[in-house]
């Protein structure tokens, strides 16, 4: 799919930037380039969003382009549908993962299928920003990983960045997409930093492309979003055990880059899927099934999963036991020493 | 009990007294009249525009015929289901007639007649109910949103569209239709609240036809009227006799004018009655008395206007016949269109899911194509 065009990278301009800053910059640049892009949601104006992702947008573009809405997620997304019908490109914020649930009817009954029910006459170029996942000590209803609900709905794209440059590039691609995009923002990576130049952002592959973040030969860890840094850390630690792990960042859950996944698993012969969301019926189940269908004869061991437990998201003082950590990943990798 | 008398109101730990509170506006202008507004049969009918009323009459007769034809097509198996608007034609027609071409209509699943009165081809309007595709027309071309099956979810769309139009400097109005049952849904609340806060140029038309499938209004709401709900949002609520097309047209026109002029949204409750069952799958005798239906039959929207126009010498036997003839022409075309089997391409299943096909869908499309080819050979 589309790759966002970017100016050549100027290494000199690159300095530490956070994912939050990159997302903010992406919104600013998209709004500046295209007057039909409108940002809206609860607290996105004067406050700049509770995570400051929309900081300064109201000052630069005015309240008509960056709108503090009434506190009502179905209303926010429902109004965005009407705005898209009239040719705008709304970017809506759901503030926290579990706050998006009231908007599910609009999402599933209208946003995802408006193109289909109108035979392509009425596309829905809406970007739905959902800060998601745990690890920040949030209280109940502030740490869910809801991606399985979104994946199960045809008509939606589902993307999640794990790096600063992807946060910018994927956001630009999401806003440019003529289809609705669920843009899952890993909350605990908002303050992660990388050398990145906001003046000359790097071109990144667009929606639908997975990337190998670390090459390896022993097994492939398949992950996305907040679990990517955990997997990279696990891969470093695994070297001591004699494992050379490959780490693959999906970046886009829908479309799912099956070819890149299949090629990686065929190379290494072993695969572990890692994510925070509950395991049962989670994204890993689908990914493991596809690998089984396409790589059966290349596999040296069953595809394993390291996921959150099949429980409601735990209270913050217990979340460290729920979230997939380095040790659990390494223990699972050890189980890939498959002997019949 | 006043605020000052509330327990804890005088507690010493409160550092300063709360600032004096007073209502931001006088709610009186927002309140609906106690009785539904009527024109037909009252002195106000003297000022009716004869041309407009003759057009309304022709549309009512055509609408009644459309309802009858669609119901007949259901019995013949040509439509999966048809939610009739017999008895509600005045609301349907008025909603379509008050809009300019640039305006938008947001119908519910019951409002096919409003879409037809707005100019949509009757066969296209029934595509959803026939089952060959979900929406049989290009919404942008007709400025009619897809018929909406989930309740009240089209209302926030109307608000968003009207808001977007105003941001772009267009004086476009959106008219959104919903039933009495739909007013209990959360999206009704959110839409009205957004519209009022944004001062969006939207008119909400509630057709209170007495029942949400089988549940009567008294079990739907404890509000004095549905129009009263407007007051809490800060918009005017208007109550109108939904069988009096002159009254519905006037009240909706005023609301459209107000919206177009930047005055914000209006909630209109049209009190009407669904003469037939919810759909052909429903048995209305289980939840209402024949006497109730008979009482409403005496207040039929087509006859109300016919009596008024005939009494005023604005309509004669010839005019009535002309309207009937035109309705028959429409019915014949509808029969012909619906009796022709639609030609469907199964590969269309994959055509409009995404702007760009995904690998997964390409794979599934290939599977279906192979199945079709195997079937053709077999």
């Amino acid at each position: 799919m589309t790759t966002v065009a970017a100016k050549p990278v100027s290494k000199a301009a690159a300095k530490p930037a956070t994912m939050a800053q990159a997302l903010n910059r992406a919104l600013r640049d998209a709004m500046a380039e295209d007057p039909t892009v409108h940002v809206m949601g609860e607290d996105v104006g004067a406050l700049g969003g509770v995570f400051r992702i929309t900081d300064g947008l109201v000052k630069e573009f005015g309240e008509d382009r960056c709108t503090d809405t009434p506190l009502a997620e179905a209303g926010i997304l429902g109004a965005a549908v009407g705005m898209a019908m009239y040719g705008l490109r709304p970017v809506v914020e759901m503030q926290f993962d579990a706050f998006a649930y009231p908007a599910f009817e609009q999402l599933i009954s209208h946003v995802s299928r408006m193109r289909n029910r109108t035979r392509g006459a009425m596309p829905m170029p809406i970007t739905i920003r959902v800060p998601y996942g745990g690890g920040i000590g949030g209280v109940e209803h502030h740490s869910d990983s809801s991606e399985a609900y979104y994946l199960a709905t045809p008509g939606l794209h589902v993307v999640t960045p794990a790096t600063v440059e992807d946060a910018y590039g994927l956001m630009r691609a999401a806003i440019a997409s003529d289809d609705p995009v669920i843009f899952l923002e890993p909350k605990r990576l908002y303050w992660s930093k990388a050398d990145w130049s906001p003046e000359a952002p790097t071109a990144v592959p667009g929606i639908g492309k997975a990337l190998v973040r670390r090459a390896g030969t022993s097994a492939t860890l398949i992950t996305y979003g907040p679990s990517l840094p955990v997997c990279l850390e696990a891969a470093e630690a695994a070297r001591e055990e004699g494992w050379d792990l490959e780490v693959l960042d999906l970046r886009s859950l829908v479309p799912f880059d099956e070819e890149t996944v299949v090629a990686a698993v065929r190379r290494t012969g072993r695969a572990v899927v890692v994510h925070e969301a509950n395991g049962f019926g989670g994204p890993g189940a689908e990914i493991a099934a596809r690998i089984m269908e396409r790589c059966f004869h290349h596999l040296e061991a069953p595809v394993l999963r390291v996921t959150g437990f099949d429980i409601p998201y735990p209270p913050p003082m217990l979340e460290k036991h729920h979230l997939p950590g380095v040790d659990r990943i390494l223990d699972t990798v050890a189980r890939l020493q498959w002997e019949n | 009990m006043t605020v000052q008398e509330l327990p804890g109101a005088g507690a010493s730990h409160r550092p300063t007294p709360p600032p004096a509170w007073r209502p931001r506006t006088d709610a009186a202008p927002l309140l609906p009249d106690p009785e539904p507004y009527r024109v037909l049969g009252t002195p106000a009918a003297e000022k009716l525009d004869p041309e407009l009323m003759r057009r309304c009459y022709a549309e009512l007769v055509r609408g009644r015929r459309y309802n009858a034809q669609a119901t007949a097509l259901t019995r013949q198996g040509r439509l999966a289901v048809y939610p009739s608007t017999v008895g509600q034609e005045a609301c349907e027609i008025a909603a379509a007639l008050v809009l300019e071409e640039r305006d938008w209509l947001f119908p519910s699943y019951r409002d096919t007649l409003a879409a037809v009165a707005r100019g949509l081809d009757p066969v296209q309007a029934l595509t959803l109910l026939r089952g060959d595709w979900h929406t049989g027309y290009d919404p942008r071309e007709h400025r009619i949103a897809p018929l909406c099956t989930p309740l009240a979810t089209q209302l926030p769309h109307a608000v968003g569209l009207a808001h977007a139009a105003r941001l772009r400097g267009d004086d476009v109005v959106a008219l959104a239709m919903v039933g009495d049952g739909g007013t209990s849904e959360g999206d009704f609340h959110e839409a009205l609240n957004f519209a009022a806060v944004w001062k969006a140029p939207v008119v909400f038309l509630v057709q209170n036809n007495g029942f949400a499938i089988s549940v009567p209004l008294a079990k739907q709401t404890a509000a004095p009227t549905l129009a009263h709900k407007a007051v809490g949002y800060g918009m005017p609520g208007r109550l109108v006799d939904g069988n009096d097309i002159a009254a519905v047209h006037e009240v909706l026109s005023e609301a459209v004018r107000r919206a177009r002029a930047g005055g914000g949204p209006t909630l209109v409750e049209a009190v009407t009655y669904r003469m037939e069952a919810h759909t052909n799958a429903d048995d209305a005798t289980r939840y209402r008395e024949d006497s109730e239906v008979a009482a409403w039959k005496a207040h039929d929207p087509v006859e109300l206007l016919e009596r008024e126009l005939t009494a005023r010498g604005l309509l004669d036997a010839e005019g009535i016949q002309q309207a009937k003839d035109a309705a028959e022409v429409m019915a014949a075309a509808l029969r012909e269109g619906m009796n022709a089997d639609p030609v469907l391409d199964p590969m269309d299943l994959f055509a409009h899911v995404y702007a760009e096909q995904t690998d997964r869908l390409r794979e599934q499309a290939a599977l279906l194509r192979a199945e079709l080819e195997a079937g053709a050979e077999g």
Side-chain angles (χ1 to χ4, degrees):
Chain A
M1 293 185 80
T2 47
T3 298
V4 175
K7 296 161 225 161
V9 187
S10 153
K11 287 254 160 76
K15 55 185 184 218
T18 64
M19 180 181 279
Q21 287 168 329
L23 290 168
N24 178 262
R25 181 70 194 204
L27 293 171
R28 260 176 69 195
D29 287 355
M31 291 175 87
E33 278 176 28
D34 181 352
T36 68
V37 176
H38 285 244
V39 168
M40 55 197 244
E42 167 79 3
D43 301 310
V44 299
L47 185 66
V50 294
F51 294 106
R52 307 291 181 268
I53 306 302
T54 57
D55 195 25
L57 298 181
V58 72
K59 217 169 171 183
E60 194 167 341
F61 300 102
E63 288 187 16
D64 284 348
R65 300 276 310 280
C66 177
T67 308
D68 270 333
T69 63
L71 202 173
E73 288 77 11
I76 293 167
L77 189 52
V81 169
M83 291 164 74
M85 285 170 110
Y86 206 77
L88 301 185
R89 301 182 94 84
V91 181
V92 305
E93 178 177 303
M94 289 288 145
Q95 199 160 91
F96 280 95
D97 32 58
F99 296 3
Y101 302 152
F104 263 52
E105 186 183 15
Q106 284 293 340
L107 183 70
I108 287 155
S109 293
H110 296 296
V111 173
S112 65
R113 62 174 90 184
M114 189 68 88
R115 170 186 290 281
N116 184 256
R117 61 206 279 243
T118 61
R119 288 181 194 260
M122 198 159 260
M124 287 281 114
I126 302 176
T127 302
I128 301 161
R129 296 182 39 238
V130 186
Y132 84 120
I136 63 159
V139 296
E140 195 182 9
H141 300 123
H142 287 71
S143 299
D144 287 12
S145 293
S146 327
E147 52 268 36
Y149 302 133
Y150 301 114
L151 297 190
T153 305
L156 301 176
H157 290 304
V158 184
V159 303
T160 177
T163 68
V164 172
E165 63 179 8
D166 257 7
Y168 181 90
L170 283 178
M171 178 64 82
R172 294 300 306 272
I175 296 172
S177 169
D178 283 334
D179 284 322
V181 179
I182 304 292
F183 195 93
L184 297 166
E185 298 176 2
K187 286 196 284 285
R188 68 172 140 136
L189 297 185
Y190 272 149
W191 304 282
S192 64
K193 284 189 178 174
D195 284 345
W196 179 74
S197 164
E199 306 311 321
T202 327
V204 302
I207 294 169
K209 182 75 190 138
L211 289 177
V212 173
R213 297 290 187 189
R214 183 190 197 281
T217 54
S218 314
T220 304
L221 300 182
I222 298 163
T223 191
Y224 55 85
S227 295
L228 177 67
V230 186
C231 286
L232 290 171
E233 198 186 332
E236 282 306 307
R239 281 164 56 175
E240 291 172 24
E241 316 281 333
W243 286 88
D244 178 20
L245 295 181
E246 184 167 83
V247 179
L248 190 144
D249 176 6
L250 287 174
R251 304 172 72 251
S252 164
L253 299 174
V254 182
F256 172 57
D257 184 357
E258 199 169 299
E259 295 314 313
T260 301
V261 170
V262 163
V265 176
R266 286 182 180 178
R267 262 198 312 275
T268 63
R270 293 178 171 86
V272 177
V273 188
V274 183
H275 59 63
E276 281 186 28
N278 310 139
F280 189 82
E286 177 67 28
I287 295 163
R290 292 302 279 175
I291 293 171
M292 231 72 97
E293 287 171 10
R294 296 278 308 272
C295 309
F296 185 73
H297 292 293
H298 299 79
L299 288 173
E300 306 288 339
V303 180
L304 299 179
R305 287 176 284 161
V306 184
T307 69
F309 296 133
D310 296 327
I311 56 171
Y313 197 86
M317 292 174 80
L318 290 171
E319 68 179 342
K320 63 177 183 292
H321 302 293
H322 168 74
L323 295 171
V326 170
D327 288 347
R328 196 174 293 156
I329 294 171
L330 292 177
D331 288 348
T332 307
V333 166
R335 286 170 53 210
L336 293 174
Q337 307 268 26
W338 184 255
E339 287 167 28
N340 290 324
Chain B
M1 194 188 285
T2 68
V3 173
Q4 280 70 33
E5 288 163 355
L6 286 171
S12 57
H13 61 264
R14 181 172 288 150
T16 52
W21 180 87
R22 62 178 66 88
R24 287 170 61 185
T25 53
D26 177 6
L30 306 178
L31 275 164
D33 292 334
E35 284 294 313
Y37 178 67
R38 290 193 177 90
V39 171
L40 300 179
T42 76
E46 286 168 23
K47 290 185 213 145
L48 289 176
D49 172 358
E51 272 316 300
L52 175 65
M53 284 303 117
R54 277 196 281 262
R55 183 165 173 220
C56 281
Y57 178 74
E59 288 289 343
L60 280 177
V61 171
R62 202 167 80 106
R64 176 63 50 90
R65 186 68 188 89
Y66 173 82
N67 270 317
Q69 187 60 65
T71 300
L73 287 163
T74 314
R75 295 200 182 106
Q76 292 158 20
R78 281 290 173 183
L79 286 176
V81 69
Y82 179 69
S84 160
T85 45
V86 170
Q88 301 178 222
E89 289 95 341
C91 301
E92 298 282 312
I93 306 295
L97 294 192
V98 296
L99 296 179
E100 303 284 341
E101 207 178 317
R102 63 187 178 283
D103 296 332
W104 275 74
L105 181 73
F106 285 79
S108 83
Y109 63 91
R110 193 179 294 284
D111 303 314
T112 41
L113 178 54
V116 169
R118 182 160 169 74
L120 188 63
D121 175 70
V123 175
Q124 286 188 335
L126 289 173
T127 301
L128 168 79
L129 300 168
R130 176 162 66 176
D132 49 317
W133 203 263
H134 302 311
T135 303
Y137 53 92
D138 180 344
R140 286 189 211 273
E141 184 189 339
H142 300 277
R143 282 159 304 279
I144 301 171
L147 296 167
C148 189
T149 310
L151 294 188
T153 54
Q154 78 279 22
L155 306 184
H157 305 172
V159 176
L161 181 132
H163 177 64
R166 207 172 51 140
L167 291 179
R168 292 195 141 189
D170 303 337
D171 65 342
V172 165
V173 173
L175 189 150
M177 306 176 77
V178 67
D180 40 308
T183 66
S184 299
E185 293 278 2
D187 280 43
F188 173 84
H189 159 67
E190 297 191 21
L192 267 70
N193 191 48
F194 266 68
V197 170
W198 283 355
K199 264 198 159 193
V202 187
V203 178
F204 298 101
L205 171 60
V206 179
Q207 288 181 75
N208 169 10
N209 68 11
F211 296 90
I213 304 189
S214 68
V215 179
L217 188 70
K219 290 184 181 173
Q220 198 67 240
T221 182
T225 71
L226 296 172
H228 273 80
K229 290 175 184 267
V231 182
Y233 298 105
M235 72 175 78
R238 294 285 170 257
L239 192 60
V240 62
D241 181 341
N243 288 19
D244 177 341
I245 196 167
V248 184
H249 191 280
E250 186 183 322
V251 169
L252 287 179
S253 296
E254 188 195 320
V256 167
R257 264 199 306 277
R258 186 170 170 276
R260 209 184 301 284
T266 304
L267 174 63
V268 178
E269 176 189 355
V271 183
T272 182
Y273 196 77
R274 160 163 56 73
M275 297 302 292
E276 296 182 349
H278 166 64
T279 67
N280 53 318
D282 166 37
D283 175 8
T285 63
R286 293 174 76 112
Y287 54 83
R288 65 189 191 187
E289 299 294 326
D290 289 346
S291 58
E292 183 180 289
V293 182
W296 277 92
K297 199 165 169 45
H299 195 62
D300 182 82
V302 188
E303 287 171 20
L304 279 182
L305 184 63
E306 191 176 297
R307 273 206 300 275
E308 183 82 46
L309 295 185
T310 311
R312 292 188 182 277
L314 299 173
L315 186 72
D316 55 16
E318 194 188 339
I320 293 171
Q321 193 55 48
Q322 271 174 6
K324 281 185 178 163
D325 292 347
E328 283 309 321
V329 170
M330 181 276 305
L334 179 55
R335 275 197 306 277
E336 193 185 347
M338 297 302 288
N339 284 330
D341 290 319
V343 180
L344 305 179
D345 179 1
M347 298 316 291
D348 268 1
L349 291 176
F350 305 98
H352 307 293
V353 184
Y354 295 99
E356 204 174 316
Q357 195 76 289
T358 61
D359 289 344
R360 193 67 181 261
L361 287 180
R362 257 193 289 274
E363 201 178 287
Q364 292 173 355
L367 170 70
L368 178 60
R369 192 175 293 115
E371 285 176 5
L372 292 169
E373 283 163 9
E377 283 162 20

